[in-house]
Amino acid sequence: MKRIVVIPGDGIGREVMDAAMLVLEELDLPFDYIWMDAGDDAEKRYGKALPDETLEEAKKNDAVLFGAAGETAADVIVKLRFELETFANIRPAKSFPGVKCLYDDVDMIIVRENTECLYKGLEYEVDGVTIATRIITRKASERIIRYSFELARKEGRKRVTALHKANVMRKTCGLFRDIFRGVASEYPDIESNDYYIDAACMYMVTNPQHFDVVVTTNMFGDIVSDLAAGLVGGLGLAPSANIGERHAIFEPVHGAAFDIAGKGIANPTAMILTATMMLRHFGYIEEAKKIERAVEAVLAEGKTTPDLGGKLKTMEMAEEIARRL
Ligand code: ATP
């Protein structure tokens, strides 16, 4: 029996989590769900956005299934990723048949370093001067770069591309680029190349088919994965997994989306596909594929939420998916 800590969080987090649970409950999975609080409301209620009990449960159980973080994101999801040492944030971006988007043949996996960079939150202010410290270490860079090559091998991918800005951030990005080139030479079966992040953003829009596995530092990874999500239909479709040695956190790429929260119109696909990433992580490949096929069928029929031009409510779309299992 796997024990999963479920944290719906803020905004649309609760709505998409209910939708994902409806789909998961259709399958006979040996999972125990432990529902815990975290986020903006938790801060108001307990004085702490990530209450101690939530962190404790997250640390002692098998995985965290997370909905969305709001204003307190830095204290909740960023902290959880650090505390649980989930060093790899895996964000696939894939076109789905029937979804109107810029390209119908995108299929890339962005691997974002999850434990350092500007997300360390080392910011200071001295007399009107604000300073942010960017930490990039040899250890974490090598770990994430190696992970991306191993992932490419495991998933039968052809190429790993690193994104950096080594011509301006010579020390931090320079280290990342040099380590990438060194590790790449150990994987002659996988093609490799590296781009400056700004040029890569353009290539990603003009020639996204070039990108297969993409590895980058924390901040660039956050930005470029939203860009990739935009190429294939938006944040409503983008799942993600945070993987560490001992822990794993599964969360959609999107945030709390307060502009649509409470209306029951959030697209549950990202959260549902996030749940399938959890199933794959635990080895329930057939069950994951079953859900993925159901999602694809529903999207192909144009049965979707307003973000993709459909009329369905969040739970109606989840019911359509669940019905096909
Ligand atoms: P964060 O920094 O926490 O990731 P964000 O600034 O990227 O948050 P989101 O909350 O992810 O912002 O939302 C960005 C936009 O995408 C919002 O305007 C929202 O309407 C849309 N959006 C995000 N998720 C969904 C979803 N599941 N369904 C429909 N629209 C969504």
Side-chain angles (χ1 to χ4, degrees):
M1 188 66 84
K2 296 284 177 207
R3 289 171 57 83
I4 316 294
V5 176
V6 179
I7 306 176
D10 300 308
I12 63 168
R14 284 171 217 165
E15 300 161 46
V16 295
M17 187 63 83
D18 286 345
M21 294 309 281
L22 185 133
V23 171
L24 282 177
E25 273 160 16
E26 250 343 273
L27 300 175
D28 193 19
L29 291 158
F31 290 169
D32 258 351
Y33 300 109
I34 304 145
W35 290 73
M36 299 301 294
D37 271 340
D40 301 356
D41 286 346
E43 183 168 57
K44 278 182 218 139
R45 230 171 309 142
Y46 314 109
K48 230 174 175 180
L50 182 63
D52 296 342
E53 308 82 69
T54 304
L55 182 57
E56 256 169 55
E57 289 294 335
K59 279 184 171 168
K60 73 175 191 227
N61 289 297
D62 296 301
V64 174
L65 190 59
F66 188 90
E71 295 303 323
T72 52
D75 298 324
V76 180
I77 188 64
V78 177
K79 186 162 180 211
L80 261 180
R81 292 180 197 140
F82 283 168
E83 288 278 343
L84 300 189
E85 290 179 71
T86 55
F87 64 88
N89 185 196
I90 316 298
R91 297 183 155 190
K94 188 171 177 292
S95 316
F96 286 100
V99 174
K100 229 175 103 193
C101 58
L102 287 173
Y103 295 95
D104 59 11
D105 55 354
V106 172
D107 185 8
M108 71 177 94
I109 305 175
I110 294 169
V111 179
R112 165 192 178 195
E113 204 291 323
N114 227 6
T115 64
E116 49 184 34
C117 190
L118 288 164
Y119 278 59
K120 276 277 189 207
L122 300 175
E123 294 197 305
Y124 317 94
E125 180 168 357
V126 183
D127 294 335
V129 178
T130 52
I131 304 157
T133 305
R134 183 168 193 249
I135 309 273
I136 301 291
T137 64
R138 176 174 295 281
K139 187 171 168 231
S141 301
E142 188 169 338
R143 181 172 60 177
I144 197 70
I145 290 165
R146 220 168 262 292
Y147 185 94
S148 64
F149 278 96
E150 289 295 329
L151 181 75
R153 265 194 189 157
K154 196 173 93 196
E155 302 270 328
R157 301 270 176 167
K158 279 200 324 277
R159 180 184 299 121
V160 179
T161 303
L163 311 181
H164 57 79
K165 189 73 181 170
N167 55 341
V168 175
M169 287 177 273
R170 291 183 186 147
K171 286 272 181 225
T172 52
C173 276
L175 179 70
F176 191 81
R177 178 203 53 200
D178 293 347
I179 293 172
F180 176 77
R181 291 182 181 172
V183 172
S185 68
E186 296 174 33
Y187 292 83
D189 51 317
I190 310 279
E191 276 178 45
S192 64
N193 57 3
D194 58 274
Y195 293 129
Y196 295 135
I197 180 70
D198 46 346
C201 286
M202 185 194 66
Y203 299 146
M204 224 175 243
V205 174
T206 56
N207 186 21
Q209 300 81 1
H210 174 79
F211 296 92
D212 199 355
V213 173
V214 175
V215 62
T216 189
T217 45
N218 204 339
M219 177 96 201
F220 293 157
D222 193 23
I223 297 168
V224 99
S225 52
D226 271 29
L227 191 158
L231 290 174
V232 296
L235 288 170
L237 297 178
S240 100
N242 302 280
I243 309 290
E245 306 279 353
R246 286 191 306 281
H247 299 285
I249 307 167
F250 299 88
E251 47 150 348
V253 173
H254 66 69
F258 288 116
D259 53 333
I260 56 166
K263 297 181 182 162
I265 56 165
N267 191 331
T269 307
M271 188 74 235
I272 292 167
L273 292 176
T274 294
T276 70
M277 290 182 83
M278 181 175 80
L279 297 191
R280 282 176 180 277
H281 177 75
F282 288 128
Y284 297 106
I285 311 291
E286 279 318 307
E287 289 82 352
K289 282 186 183 164
K290 223 166 157 183
I291 297 178
E292 286 156 7
R293 281 197 295 267
V295 167
E296 279 168 23
V298 168
L299 288 171
E301 286 170 27
K303 289 185 172 151
T304 182
T305 42
D307 54 308
L308 297 179
K311 290 198 178 67
L312 294 187
K313 295 277 211 174
T314 308
M315 287 311 269
E316 289 170 344
M317 186 167 179
E319 281 156 14
E320 285 288 341
I321 294 164
R323 200 172 306 141
R324 281 164 179 76
L325 292 174

